[in-house]
Amino acid sequence: MERKASEIGMNRTGIKTSPVHSKEAIEGAEKRGPSSLGDASAIWRVRQEFSREVDNLGSVPPPTPKGMVKTAVVMLKGGRATVFVDKLGQRLGFERTGVRLYESALSKLDVFGTWEGGPSREQLEKIRLDELSHFALVKRTMEKLGADPTALTPAADLQANISEGVPKMLADPRVNLLQSLECLLTAELVDNASWELLIELARELGHSNIAEEFQRALDVEQEHLALVRSWIATGTMLEARVGEEAAGAPA
């Protein structure tokens, strides 16, 4: 089932679609005038007041009794270990979502098919399993450190809200496989940067074994990123060439 990501159609969102009505709309807005005087400083003050009054975006739970003693003590006092657990919680949630993202991409592949130089089912399935493996890695790490992997940490909550548009668009039936890959590119860029930060934090805390395991995960994620980029490039160029050929074809 072919559905182009970029094609000409009856798009009514632009103002140039109806010059007469757009002129009337502009004239009406000019006659009505602004809804309020001044700039955005009033809403800034309101936002500042709210920021001063509300609590933090959640908290990092205290370590469990079975956790590493050294890490537990540092966490209770605050500091880098607490930040590390917070970021681990963030990565855990993101990797879990990553599994779902690639499941959605597989469903798009079944409907729309692929192209020369595009993703195969085997490649997408491998990445899905990699994401699942990384989820398990972070879960084990949190448990070893005495952290609760079921808790929603502040960083995890933040990341979930920031990136909620990605799974939403992948689930949209109007989005084809090539467009789905652009969603995955957004996720993979964040994923790579986040693993890099986790590795740095692990080394700062003296967890060399954890840092090594995370580096292997980052190496795999870098492969994911390179693949998604190449699939988008080949798919986009192919669509552009097909469009040119269709435009130049005799009627």
Side-chain angles (χ1 to χ4, degrees):
M1 178 179 179
E2 182 180 358
R3 185 184 299 170
K4 295 181 179 179
S6 305
E7 59 183 355
I8 295 177
M10 187 56 70
N11 187 324
R12 300 179 184 275
T13 61
I15 198 171
K16 301 294 184 181
T17 305
S18 179
V20 175
H21 292 109
S22 62
K23 180 181 179 182
E24 293 175 354
I26 293 172
E27 291 175 349
E30 291 174 343
K31 290 178 181 179
R32 174 66 177 81
S35 59
S36 63
L37 300 177
D39 53 24
S41 58
I43 189 63
W44 291 348
R45 287 193 293 272
V46 172
R47 289 170 179 164
Q48 289 171 346
E49 290 175 8
F50 279 131
S51 296
R52 295 188 183 99
E53 293 173 359
V54 299
D55 294 327
N56 295 335
L57 189 65
S59 60
V60 179
T64 62
K66 293 183 180 180
M68 292 175 61
V69 176
K70 181 179 178 181
T71 301
V73 171
V74 177
M75 277 185 64
L76 290 172
K77 294 180 179 179
R80 290 175 297 177
T82 304
V83 174
F84 187 46
V85 170
D86 189 17
K87 293 300 182 181
L88 284 171
Q90 181 185 59
R91 200 81 258 106
L92 186 74
F94 200 91
E95 296 300 324
R96 179 175 57 242
T97 300
V99 177
R100 305 292 182 241
L101 295 182
Y102 278 94
E103 287 175 349
S104 296
L106 282 162
S107 71
K108 299 290 185 179
L109 178 69
D110 290 340
V111 174
F112 299 105
T114 188
W115 53 89
E116 184 177 354
S120 67
R121 166 165 283 279
E122 292 74 19
Q123 287 174 312
L124 291 176
E125 181 63 29
K126 180 185 180 302
I127 296 178
R128 186 190 76 83
L129 292 175
D130 287 341
E131 300 296 335
L132 183 59
S133 173
H134 294 165
F135 166 80
L137 169 62
V138 177
K139 179 177 179 292
R140 289 195 306 271
T141 302
M142 294 186 74
E143 290 172 341
K144 288 178 182 177
L145 295 175
D148 183 358
T150 67
L152 182 68
T153 69
D157 193 7
L158 177 67
Q159 187 65 70
N161 283 281
I162 291 173
S163 58
E164 66 179 0
V166 175
K168 177 181 178 182
M169 292 311 300
L170 273 162
D172 192 318
R174 299 169 298 173
V175 173
N176 65 18
L177 180 59
L178 179 57
Q179 292 165 325
S180 296
L181 292 176
E182 296 211 33
C183 299
L184 293 175
L185 177 61
T186 299
E188 290 294 354
L189 287 167
V190 172
D191 214 7
N192 274 258
S194 298
W195 279 110
E196 290 171 356
L197 180 58
L198 272 179
I199 292 168
E200 185 176 349
L201 283 169
R203 287 172 177 160
E204 282 285 324
L205 287 165
H207 298 308
S208 57
N209 291 336
I210 293 176
E212 290 176 5
E213 287 186 302
F214 285 2
Q215 181 60 58
R216 287 192 288 272
L218 175 59
D219 293 341
V220 174
E221 293 294 350
Q222 288 173 338
E223 293 175 3
H224 297 174
L225 179 57
L227 281 171
V228 172
R229 278 175 164 161
S230 69
W231 295 334
I232 292 174
T234 57
T236 302
M237 296 308 296
L238 177 61
E239 186 169 300
R241 286 195 297 270
V242 171
E244 288 180 352
E245 292 170 1

